[in-house]
Coordinates of all heavy atoms in Angstrom, one line a residue:
M1 N 167.6 67.6 154.3 CA 167.7 68.6 153.2 C 166.8 68.2 152.0 O 166.3 69.0 151.3 CB 169.1 68.8 152.8 CG 169.3 69.8 151.7 SD 171.0 70.4 151.7 CE 171.0 71.3 150.3
D7 N 159.7 70.3 149.2 CA 158.7 71.4 149.5 C 158.8 72.5 148.5 O 157.7 73.0 148.1 CB 159.0 72.0 150.9 CG 158.6 71.0 152.0 OD1 157.9 70.0 151.7 OD2 159.0 71.2 153.2
A15 N 152.3 77.6 142.2 CA 152.4 78.9 141.6 C 152.0 78.8 140.1 O 151.3 79.7 139.6 CB 153.8 79.5 141.8
K17 N 150.1 76.6 138.7 CA 148.6 76.3 138.6 C 147.9 77.6 138.8 O 146.9 77.9 138.1 CB 148.2 75.3 139.7 CG 146.8 75.0 139.7 CD 146.4 74.0 140.7 CE 144.9 73.7 140.8 NZ 144.6 72.8 141.9
A21 N 145.3 79.5 136.2 CA 143.9 79.7 136.5 C 143.5 81.1 136.3 O 142.3 81.4 135.9 CB 143.7 79.3 138.0
K23 N 144.8 83.1 133.9 CA 145.3 83.5 132.6 C 144.1 84.1 131.8 O 144.3 85.0 131.1 CB 145.9 82.3 131.9 CG 146.6 82.7 130.6 CD 147.3 81.5 130.0 CE 148.0 81.9 128.8 NZ 148.8 80.7 128.2
R29 N 133.2 84.3 125.7 CA 131.8 84.8 125.4 C 130.8 84.3 126.4 O 129.7 84.9 126.5 CB 131.3 84.5 124.0 CG 132.1 85.2 123.0 CD 131.6 84.8 121.6 NE 132.4 85.6 120.6 CZ 132.1 85.5 119.3 NH1 131.2 84.7 118.9 NH2 132.8 86.2 118.5
E30 N 131.1 83.2 127.1 CA 130.2 82.6 128.1 C 130.9 82.4 129.4 O 132.0 82.0 129.5 CB 129.7 81.3 127.6 CG 128.8 81.3 126.4 CD 127.4 81.9 126.7 OE1 126.9 81.6 127.8 OE2 126.9 82.5 125.8
P33 N 129.3 79.1 135.3 CA 129.3 79.3 136.8 C 129.7 78.1 137.6 O 129.9 78.2 138.8 CB 127.8 79.6 137.0 CG 127.1 79.0 135.8 CD 128.0 79.1 134.7
A40 N 136.3 83.3 139.2 CA 137.4 84.2 139.7 C 137.8 85.2 138.7 O 138.0 86.4 139.0 CB 138.6 83.3 140.1
K44 N 136.8 89.3 138.9 CA 137.9 90.4 138.9 C 137.7 91.3 137.7 O 137.8 92.5 137.9 CB 139.3 89.7 138.8 CG 140.4 90.6 138.9 CD 141.7 89.9 138.9 CE 142.9 90.9 138.9 NZ 144.2 90.2 138.9
D51 N 129.8 86.0 144.7 CA 128.3 85.9 145.0 C 127.6 86.9 144.1 O 126.5 86.6 143.6 CB 128.1 86.2 146.5 CG 128.5 85.0 147.4 OD1 128.6 83.9 146.9 OD2 128.7 85.3 148.6
L56 N 124.2 88.0 139.2 CA 124.1 88.6 137.9 C 123.8 87.5 136.8 O 123.0 87.7 135.9 CB 125.4 89.3 137.5 CG 125.6 90.6 138.2 CD1 127.1 91.0 138.1 CD2 124.7 91.7 137.6
H60 N 120.7 87.5 134.4 CA 120.9 87.9 133.1 C 121.5 86.8 132.2 O 121.7 87.1 131.0 CB 121.9 89.1 133.1 CG 121.4 90.3 133.9 ND1 120.4 91.1 133.4 CD2 121.7 90.7 135.1 CE1 120.1 92.0 134.3 NE2 120.9 91.8 135.4
A69 N 126.8 94.4 130.6 CA 125.9 95.5 130.5 C 125.1 95.7 131.9 O 124.7 96.8 132.2 CB 124.9 95.2 129.4
A70 N 125.0 94.7 132.6 CA 124.2 94.8 133.9 C 125.1 95.3 135.1 O 124.5 95.6 136.1 CB 123.6 93.4 134.2

Side-chain angles (χ1 to χ4, degrees):
M1 185 159 167
D7 288 344
K17 181 179 176 184
K23 188 174 183 179
R29 294 183 176 178
E30 292 288 326
K44 184 175 180 180
D51 289 339
L56 286 162
H60 304 282

